Amino acid sequence: MCNILHCSCPSLIQFRSAIIHAGYKVSISHTSPEAIKTDAPSQVIWDIMRAWVKLHPVKQERLTEHSPATMILSKEPSIEVSFSPLPSANAKSRKHKLVRFPENPQKYWGPKARAKKTGIEPLSTKRARLQGKRNQDGQLERDFKNYDCKRFKKGECSLGDTCKYSHD
């Protein structure tokens, strides 16, 4: 938002305090140290930023006539904004100096590739073992003589002994 308005950024405690003074809830986001979560509507957030720019003006050479910053700053804030720090604006984890976004403990830390079975069987042996695993139809070879022939039960099987299913 400060990039859009070409202004300096308020501290996070000042910004969160302003939202709380306006009567809304605010907390720190889990995604980024600079992000916040709030139930305040965007109009209130822009009013807070307009009030911030009134206290810390933007250089006029940074604003052009039809820029978004000029359009946003041309409106007056509709709420009374106070940037005085509140104790509730600072998160409990920050008061206790807990690390919220820790650094990686070592280089290339984190999820890695799945473990592979290496060194157990040479690749040539594995290829020979798996050669011809599927027949020409692309199906796995099985012993179908363990299964009864449905056509034989109906009296319709004409394959006789060449049928891969059982005729018992």
Side-chain angles (χ1 to χ4, degrees), residues 82-100:
S82 171
F83 290 101
S84 60
L86 291 173
S88 60
N90 201 3
K92 291 178 185 176
S93 60
R94 286 186 172 214
K95 289 176 188 173
H96 297 296
K97 297 191 179 181
L98 298 176
V99 180
R100 197 175 194 118

Side-chain angles (χ1 to χ4, degrees), residues 138-151:
Q139 294 180 347
L140 292 173
E141 292 182 12
R142 287 192 230 161
D143 186 17
F144 291 106
K145 290 290 183 184
N146 294 332
Y147 303 104
D148 293 331
C149 180
K150 294 178 185 177
R151 290 190 180 131

Side-chain angles (χ1 to χ4, degrees), residues 34-166:
E34 294 87 23
I36 60 165
K37 298 183 292 184
T38 182
D39 61 347
S42 59
Q43 182 64 34
V44 171
I45 302 298
W46 282 116
D47 283 345
I48 291 170
M49 290 308 298
R50 286 184 193 103
W52 177 257
V53 171
K54 283 192 174 205
L55 294 174
H56 306 278
V58 178
K59 294 179 182 176
Q60 289 302 319
E61 60 262 11
R62 298 190 82 184
L63 301 175
T64 60
E65 185 179 340
H66 299 291
S67 71
T70 305
M71 299 298 176
I72 292 169
L73 296 175
S74 65
K75 297 178 183 176
E76 287 294 316
S78 59
I79 60 170
E80 190 70 30
V81 180
S82 171
F83 290 101
S84 60
L86 291 173
S88 60
N90 201 3
K92 291 178 185 176
S93 60
R94 286 186 172 214
K95 289 176 188 173
H96 297 296
K97 297 191 179 181
L98 298 176
V99 180
R100 197 175 194 118
F101 300 95
E103 303 249 344
N104 290 341
Q106 60 187 4
K107 190 175 182 182
Y108 305 119
W109 177 85
K112 297 189 175 41
R114 184 178 176 184
K116 297 177 184 173
K117 295 180 183 178
T118 56
I120 296 173
E121 179 180 26
L123 187 58
S124 59
T125 310
K126 183 178 179 181
R127 285 182 181 155
R129 181 175 51 86
L130 297 176
Q131 186 67 36
K133 184 176 179 179
R134 296 184 180 271
N135 64 13
Q136 292 168 342
D137 297 335
Q139 294 180 347
L140 292 173
E141 292 182 12
R142 287 192 230 161
D143 186 17
F144 291 106
K145 290 290 183 184
N146 294 332
Y147 303 104
D148 293 331
C149 180
K150 294 178 185 177
R151 290 190 180 131
F152 181 76
K153 286 184 178 179
K154 294 179 186 176
E156 299 173 356
C157 186
S158 60
L159 296 174
D161 289 339
T162 58
C163 182
K164 52 182 166 178
Y165 294 100
S166 172

